[in-house]
Amino acid sequence: MHKFIAMVGTNSDESTNRKLLQYMQSHYADQAEIELMEIKGLPIFNKPENHEIPAQAQAMADKIEQADGVIISTPEYDHSAPAALLNALEWLSFHIQPFVDKPGMIIGASYGALGTSRAQAHLRQVLDSPELRARIMPSSEFMLGHSLQAFDDQGNLTDQQKATKLDGLFKDFQVFVEITKKLKNANATTYEEVREMDWEKL
């Protein structure tokens, strides 16, 4: 059984993105172990001269490294991913490399009708950056619009078409994870490139 980290892409206490990940954690409990990861509490990234990583960020990195993949659920603020999520990713790429070749799946929930398409596209670019080098499953957008009305009292998705699509994407992600395990020929070189990146010149 795969083990996945599900990162809540916001520091909001009341988030439908957290609800979406909690739904997945419960709904797919017989298929995979999904652990929710919060990004609340991280200090603002300040590129410390002593290269000291906050204990919370190091603990997050350790869990990501041990997981088979990462699922990130992001809201959309101003056509982009939230600053809190980008801040977390900055810490998770500062002299630590948990995302290198790590399979990733991006999903998102928003109050409006359009979902989180722009935020997801932006987040793909960030995760593909030289500092992170994650492997994000292609052609896999899951956008939950009108998310305040999307769940029943038990936390289940009420739109069966959306639920069915998420079922399919989650199965595809598990296949993608297994395929990614075979794409390791350049892993050692990629890891060294990221590890040796000179943050002083960035």
Side-chain angles (χ1 to χ4, degrees):
M1 183 179 286
H2 291 131
K3 180 175 182 179
F4 299 135
I5 291 297
M7 185 179 291
V8 181
T10 173
N11 56 6
S12 171
D13 291 329
E14 297 292 333
S15 171
T16 51
N17 284 277
R18 184 180 294 105
K19 285 186 176 181
L20 179 56
L21 291 174
Q22 288 171 336
Y23 166 79
M24 294 180 69
Q25 183 182 45
S26 173
H27 191 66
Y28 303 127
D30 61 339
Q31 298 182 42
E33 179 184 347
I34 300 176
E35 178 182 350
L36 263 64
M37 175 178 284
E38 299 284 352
I39 61 174
K40 294 186 293 184
L42 282 171
I44 295 175
F45 180 73
N46 62 352
K47 198 174 174 181
E49 292 183 3
N50 62 4
H51 300 175
E52 185 175 352
I53 312 281
Q56 180 183 350
Q58 185 62 64
M60 293 167 67
D62 292 343
K63 287 187 175 184
I64 291 169
E65 285 184 345
Q66 294 165 12
D68 294 304
V70 179
I71 304 166
I72 302 178
S73 189
T74 180
E76 183 169 308
Y77 300 161
D78 302 325
H79 290 182
S80 181
L85 176 55
L86 299 178
N87 181 64
L89 294 176
E90 286 176 343
W91 279 119
L92 291 169
S93 61
F94 182 66
H95 297 289
I96 48 179
Q97 300 81 33
F99 278 101
V100 172
D101 289 339
K102 184 67 62 176
M105 177 181 180
I106 300 174
I107 60 176
S110 72
Y111 296 169
L114 297 179
T116 60
S117 60
R118 293 181 178 90
Q120 290 193 37
H122 181 210
L123 189 55
R124 283 178 179 273
Q125 289 183 311
V126 173
L127 290 166
D128 192 42
S129 68
E131 296 86 359
L132 286 157
R133 302 283 187 94
R135 291 188 185 272
I136 306 303
M137 184 169 69
S139 304
S140 59
E141 284 187 338
F142 180 80
M143 297 174 290
L144 185 66
H146 300 298
S147 58
L148 285 174
Q149 297 81 38
F151 301 93
D152 63 21
D153 292 339
Q154 288 72 46
N156 296 311
L157 288 173
T158 56
D159 186 326
Q160 188 55 52
Q161 185 176 5
K162 286 287 187 182
T164 300
K165 180 175 181 179
L166 187 58
D167 288 347
L169 288 174
F170 188 71
K171 289 179 181 177
D172 285 347
F173 183 53
Q174 298 204 66
V175 174
F176 179 72
V177 168
E178 291 304 309
I179 292 173
T180 302
K181 288 179 179 179
K182 300 177 181 180
L183 304 177
K184 294 291 186 180
N185 293 300
N187 178 260
T189 303
T190 302
Y191 184 87
E192 284 302 310
E193 287 178 352
V194 176
R195 188 179 68 83
E196 294 174 2
M197 185 166 292
D198 188 353
W199 270 82
E200 302 309 316
K201 296 180 180 179
L202 294 180

